[in-house]
Amino acid sequence: MPDTGYPGTGYLIAVVAVAAAITVALRAAPFAMTATLRSSAPVADLGRHLPAGIMIILVVHLLGDVPLGSALVGLREIVPVVVTVAVHLRRRHALLSMATGTAVYAVALALVPI
Amino acid sequence: MRQVDHRNALRDVAAVGPGMGVLGTSFGLLVVGSGLDWWWAPVFSVVVFAGSLEFLLVALAVAGTPLAAIAVTTLLVNGRHAFYGLSFPLDRIRSRAGRVYGVLALTDEAYALYTARPDTSLSGPRIVTGQALMQACWVGGGTVGALAGSGFGLHVPSLEFVFTALFVVLATEATVVGREATGPLLAVACALVAQLVAPGEMLLVAMGLFVAALLVRRRISAAREAAHA
């Protein structure tokens, strides 16, 4: 399965099933919770601070795959990220930020090919 | 009455639907670009229906990631959804089937669109129709993208950045809304430590460290408050 290097249909079905089951459980969880647990301080605290941190970890994970062979390759990956953040902080429009970042990446990719 | 609900739902979704369609299209392109058959795009989007996680799942699946790691990643990446139900207006939906779908399709967009609006005219059918329209945009976009990718051999390398950009935007938005810097800084530190110590299991280690760090931080601030009291 994992070490054949390519995902088989059975494995992919399992991936979809596991992800769907956990996602549904998470979405249904608060409706099954007791009132005390719903308003408990640690639950509220995690709810407030988890999302930003998890997203940041994912971004670092995605950038972690970047080969740091040359400064130019590093710049090609970092500059579009910085532009995306800058545009988003200024306009707070998700689609615009993503479109601008991707356009910058397309230009960077043309200047510094893989 | 019902017609009004449908018209209102259409107006609600007009704000987010096109964006979901575009993002769905790039998801479809990613699916076939990763070497999977085109129909996996609608399968992921109908069964899982969690945009940002689906991008991640394709990358993890292609790398042959063990199911246990997929489970923990889903738990942590979608963990935020466990908090949406605390304030989503599910009580407006009367029918049983509608309530079940309302929970199944409780995405970031559904939460953003239908929570935090003290609109008394917000009816159950309007919410459910809105959610179904959003899923239609997402599944439709994904299918179109996947078919375009496999049919015309359309391969746009720069589109892979859409995936990174999505997480960059979500991280920026959540950091701004969170209004505090130590949490995000802790996350960066956990991510870098995990990248150094366990590059193969970076996501698991980093997310585990981060949850632990948040709980410890809470303990410390609670102890400090108790000392002051």
Side-chain angles (χ1 to χ4, degrees):
Chain A
M1 197 168 62
D3 21 331
T4 55
Y6 199 75
T9 304
Y11 166 71
L12 283 171
I13 290 173
V15 167
V16 170
V18 165
I22 293 175
T23 302
V24 168
L26 285 169
R27 285 177 182 164
F31 301 106
M33 263 186 210
T34 62
T36 11
L37 195 60
R38 266 170 165 250
S39 53
S40 93
V43 169
D45 194 60
L46 282 179
R48 200 159 39 241
H49 301 298
L50 215 46
I54 295 294
M55 292 304 147
I56 288 169
I57 288 170
L58 284 170
V59 171
V60 175
H61 173 72
L62 290 170
L63 293 176
D65 293 337
V66 173
L68 290 171
S70 81
L72 269 182
V73 173
L75 276 179
R76 182 189 75 201
E77 304 294 324
I78 298 295
V79 168
V81 170
V82 174
V83 169
T84 307
V85 172
V87 172
H88 194 72
L89 286 177
R90 188 155 294 205
R91 302 288 297 275
R92 299 288 290 279
H93 188 301
L95 212 57
L96 178 74
S97 319
M98 291 166 60
T100 313
T102 306
V104 171
Y105 184 71
V107 173
L109 211 54
L111 294 174
V112 187
I114 293 171
Chain B
M1 181 65 191
R2 289 216 77 134
Q3 208 147 17
V4 172
D5 289 327
H6 291 166
R7 216 179 310 129
N8 281 335
L10 207 57
R11 206 176 324 124
D12 297 336
V13 174
V16 290
M20 293 179 79
V22 170
L23 198 58
T25 308
S26 59
F27 173 70
L29 284 170
L30 175 83
V31 167
V32 290
S34 304
L36 305 183
D37 288 323
W38 71 268
W39 45 267
W40 281 108
V43 168
F44 271 88
S45 299
V46 168
V47 181
V48 184
F49 192 28
S52 46
L53 178 75
E54 289 178 40
F55 277 93
L56 203 58
L57 281 179
V58 169
L60 292 174
V62 169
T65 307
L67 290 176
I70 300 242
V72 176
T73 305
T74 303
L75 199 61
L76 288 167
V77 172
N78 270 354
R80 65 185 190 282
H81 289 204
F83 301 97
Y84 290 172
L86 299 176
S87 45
F88 188 74
L90 193 72
D91 51 324
R92 300 287 176 92
I93 307 173
R94 298 249 177 77
S95 87
R96 206 179 154 73
R99 282 170 158 265
V100 170
Y101 182 71
V103 174
L104 290 181
L106 185 39
T107 57
D108 297 309
E109 290 83 359
Y111 178 76
L113 210 54
Y114 289 123
T115 312
R117 63 152 74 192
D119 191 344
T120 44
S121 70
L122 197 57
S123 70
R126 177 171 168 183
I127 297 174
V128 174
T129 310
Q131 286 181 288
L133 284 173
M134 284 189 273
Q135 186 159 20
C137 288
W138 176 245
V139 175
T143 309
V144 166
L147 284 174
S150 64
F152 310 116
L154 189 61
H155 181 61
V156 192
S158 54
L159 265 186
E160 278 163 22
F161 187 78
V162 171
F163 174 33
T164 308
L166 170 66
F167 285 107
V168 170
V169 165
L170 289 173
T172 309
E173 189 65 34
T175 303
V176 172
V177 171
R179 292 175 149 272
E180 57 111 28
T182 45
L185 288 176
L186 276 175
V188 172
C190 293
L192 292 178
V193 167
Q195 187 82 15
L196 275 178
V197 178
E201 290 296 340
M202 182 275 185
L203 275 182
L204 276 186
V205 174
M207 289 176 177
L209 278 176
F210 182 59
V211 171
L214 281 185
L215 291 175
V216 168
R217 184 180 72 162
R218 223 201 93 70
R219 265 281 169 85
I220 292 173
S221 68
R224 214 178 271 159
E225 264 167 44
H228 277 288

